[in-house]
Amino acid sequence: MSKKVIFGAMLLAASLSMQAAQKPVKAPKGGKAISDNLIGIFFEDISSSADGGLNADLVQNGSFEYSPSMSDGWGPGTNWKFLRPGHSAGYLEPRMDNGIHPNNPTYMRIHSERVNKYYDYEGWNGVGLQNDGYNGMSVKAGAKYDFSVFAHAEKAVDVRVVLLQPTKEWGKDGGKILADATINVNKNSWNKYEVTLTSSEDCTDAALQILVLDRVDVDVDMVSLMPQDTYKGHGIRKDLAEALEALHPQFLRFPGGCVVHGGGDGFWNTYRWKTTVGPKETRKALKNTWGYCQSMAIGYFEYFQLCEDMNMDPLPILPCGVSCQGVNGGWGMKGQAQEVVPMSDMDEWVDEALDLIEWANGDVTTKWGKVRAEAGHPAPFNLKYLGIGNEERISPEFEERFKYIYNKVREKHPEIIIVGTAGPGSHPGNWDYDNAWRLAEEIELPIMDEHYYESRDYYLTSRQYDSYPRNRKTKVYLGEYSAKEDAKHGNQLGDALAEALYLTHVERNGDVVCMTSYAPLFARKDNTKWNPDLIYFDNERPYLTCSYYVQQMFGESAGQYYYGDCVKLSENPNDLVGQSVILNAKNREVYVKVVNCSDKTITADINLGRFGSLKKVGEKVTLAGNADDENNYEKHPVEPKRETVKVKKQMSVDVPASGFVMYKIAL
């Protein structure tokens, strides 16, 4: 046989081998078919999760749209400092008479009345302003930052743009220059000006200065300083996005949460997706229900783009014509405090849903598909899920409006999977819960979104889904949950392990529960509105909690089949231990998970004989420590230990006290 023929035969054999390796394995008997979409993420703009967080832009209030209605004492000049070095003279004036766009009316006029070009005040002169970002801007040596601004002036004028470490001396406007450039504003109409700044060194407390260098009035708006190194180049802060990616999420729910329907502010503050998908200078800032401004620099386009970048399904949530029951102090009331849209106006909210589906999935020849294409994404986003409502009281007014939207959307788009809401505190016997499930069964709702935040003990002892009927057409999405903070617990390893134990229960009921997402997701160190959270962060880095690692381990061990009889435990003190075995037939892997929330080591006898041939080497992941260990800004004592180990069909494994052990084994 010739060498050519031999080589060809080798290539064919290699090709056949690869095809065989990619072919899904047949699930052995004894398993239960479950959802492989169980682990997702829920993003709500709480605790500065968007601006100052996932939004990589370093400038705060770059659109000058901050106002007292968003937070006490705020205004267009919030987070800006007036500058007039070198014996210059002038003043700042916020204006709204000739803005870039009606959705973005406020801008800042720099009145430059005197600039002494021949007087060098330690290298500084001019009239302008300074932005310190979010408690300082963090920049890296050699990194490039794209500065942009919309501006106009009556005549051409040079404007100096400086990235610097400001001086700490009172009354001085200079500092150590990190990058410096000049732009020429030369038209009497709004135009966008851009320049790239390269930082000369690392700095954790940098600032941006804009200085007009002549006697001219200059109007500025939409000031931005964006790192070039963002996630997939799409303006998302890279380290935070990579922390999300490492969770192996299957879907992203957004934009909230109480943000969806305005929270306690009322229905006037409802999130409107249509004002978040155009050019950023045309987007409408909104008061955040958590007491600050949403610039909408991260809007529906960015959420959908992030889903595509991480191969997640988007799950947008839209309001359903009923406000949060918390408006006007209505917590605890059965819907009496809700603001409701008149039924005569409900078609507007139906159109919100229908137009969103067209925007996400429509051809470029459609009205809203064209808007998506003009934003830079001509291909459809392939929306599958749509949530309607978030935690509202299941009042008669809610039911009427929900059914109206639901029926209209289903009639036109039967392919879209609608996710409803079970209200707050989604446990059997709760007034809203019982009414929500009655409604769900009446209309054959595909998925019900349940929310609850409970103590550590609840997740250790409750097995809520064991009793759910198996013949229901409606599946469960556990959309918000975590072991809530109390006087003793909140972000400790013991809380995370309780959540892990509960997730083994969820996997066992993966035929009923189809999706879950921990909440809240992010919290900025200096503006935390809720505890606990999955990921804390500052300008320098994310801080990964114990619960984060639990979510990560379950995210990377998703599959289509659950086996409950492959692991026998030496003891089960007070039901504080749990186990699950998951088969991912597509990836040809089996995952063994054992959670031990007790204070003593236990032995797990594992029998994987039913899975046939196993690879001899697998990965063992161990998350263990003291129950009161906590990862925070000062200490990070808990991280998964990953090791390559020999595996067999039958193994006896010690699981440490306050520990979670997972095996990943290829078939």
Side-chain angles (χ1 to χ4, degrees), residues 315-378:
L315 173 49
I317 309 295
L318 297 181
C320 64
V322 177
S323 78
C324 175
Q325 60 277 2
V327 66
N328 300 322
W331 291 107
M333 303 171 69
K334 294 184 179 180
Q336 294 94 323
Q338 287 177 321
E339 295 177 355
V340 299
V341 173
M343 286 302 298
S344 59
D345 295 337
M346 279 301 296
D347 282 342
E348 175 185 347
W349 300 94
V350 171
D351 289 342
E352 285 278 297
L354 297 179
D355 292 345
L356 175 60
I357 296 168
E358 182 177 283
W359 177 83
N361 294 351
D363 186 84
V364 295
T365 60
T366 63
K367 175 184 175 180
W368 287 101
K370 181 180 178 183
V371 172
R372 182 198 67 240
E374 289 174 346
H377 202 285

Side-chain angles (χ1 to χ4, degrees), residues 40-105:
I41 51 180
F42 160 50
F43 182 87
E44 178 171 8
D45 189 357
I46 180 175
S47 304
S48 296
S49 295
D51 297 330
L54 209 56
N55 176 16
D57 196 339
L58 300 181
V59 175
Q60 182 179 176
N61 192 22
S63 63
F64 304 99
E65 295 297 329
Y66 280 21
S67 71
S69 67
M70 295 176 177
S71 186
D72 291 342
W74 275 18
T78 298
N79 208 58
W80 291 98
K81 174 185 176 183
F82 176 50
L83 305 175
R84 51 183 188 87
H87 293 287
S88 301
Y91 60 95
L92 301 179
E93 180 187 9
R95 299 175 67 103
M96 301 179 68
D97 57 320
N98 186 29
I100 300 174
H101 190 274
N103 285 342
N104 176 30

Side-chain angles (χ1 to χ4, degrees), residues 130-347:
Q130 174 178 306
N131 192 285
D132 296 320
Y134 297 87
N135 286 341
M137 298 179 179
S138 178
V139 297
K140 304 299 180 185
K144 297 182 182 298
Y145 300 85
D146 291 331
F147 168 84
S148 65
V149 62
F150 279 79
H152 69 65
E154 293 179 349
K155 67 176 183 179
V157 62
D158 286 340
V159 175
R160 186 184 185 195
V161 181
V162 188
L163 183 62
L164 76 161
Q165 183 176 34
T167 180
K168 302 298 182 183
E169 296 182 50
W170 182 86
K172 290 193 175 183
D173 298 324
K176 181 188 292 185
I177 295 176
L178 305 173
D180 196 358
T182 301
I183 58 175
N184 185 265
V185 178
N186 56 15
K187 292 183 179 179
N188 190 19
S189 60
W190 286 110
N191 284 279
K192 188 175 184 179
Y193 298 87
E194 300 173 286
V195 67
T196 297
L197 303 175
T198 303
S199 181
S200 60
E201 58 184 85
D202 291 354
C203 183
T204 60
D205 58 348
L208 177 72
Q209 292 187 354
I210 303 171
L211 294 163
V212 178
L213 301 180
D214 205 346
R215 185 180 176 181
V216 180
D217 286 352
V218 177
D219 297 333
V220 296
D221 200 358
M222 296 303 294
V223 182
S224 172
L225 188 66
M226 180 69 73
Q228 286 190 356
D229 187 19
T230 63
Y231 184 72
K232 307 286 187 180
H234 291 143
I236 301 297
R237 182 170 150 178
K238 193 172 183 179
D239 57 348
L240 298 187
E242 288 175 343
L244 296 185
E245 187 177 47
L247 290 170
H248 304 273
Q250 297 298 310
F251 63 89
L252 171 67
R253 172 182 163 219
F254 60 89
C258 291
V259 167
V260 169
H261 51 208
D265 292 309
F267 208 70
W268 66 269
N269 200 40
T270 295
Y271 192 107
R272 306 302 292 265
W273 72 266
K274 292 179 181 179
T275 63
T276 75
V277 296
K280 293 189 179 182
E281 65 271 17
T282 70
R283 299 183 184 183
K284 187 175 183 179
L286 187 69
K287 179 188 177 184
N288 183 283
T289 191
W290 301 104
Y292 54 90
C293 176
Q294 292 174 275
S295 74
M296 301 303 175
I298 294 182
Y300 263 51
F301 183 89
E302 287 72 26
Y303 289 129
F304 273 81
Q305 183 67 71
L306 182 63
C307 288
E308 184 174 88
D309 288 341
M310 289 191 187
N311 195 30
M312 300 182 288
D313 283 321
L315 173 49
I317 309 295
L318 297 181
C320 64
V322 177
S323 78
C324 175
Q325 60 277 2
V327 66
N328 300 322
W331 291 107
M333 303 171 69
K334 294 184 179 180
Q336 294 94 323
Q338 287 177 321
E339 295 177 355
V340 299
V341 173
M343 286 302 298
S344 59
D345 295 337
M346 279 301 296
D347 282 342

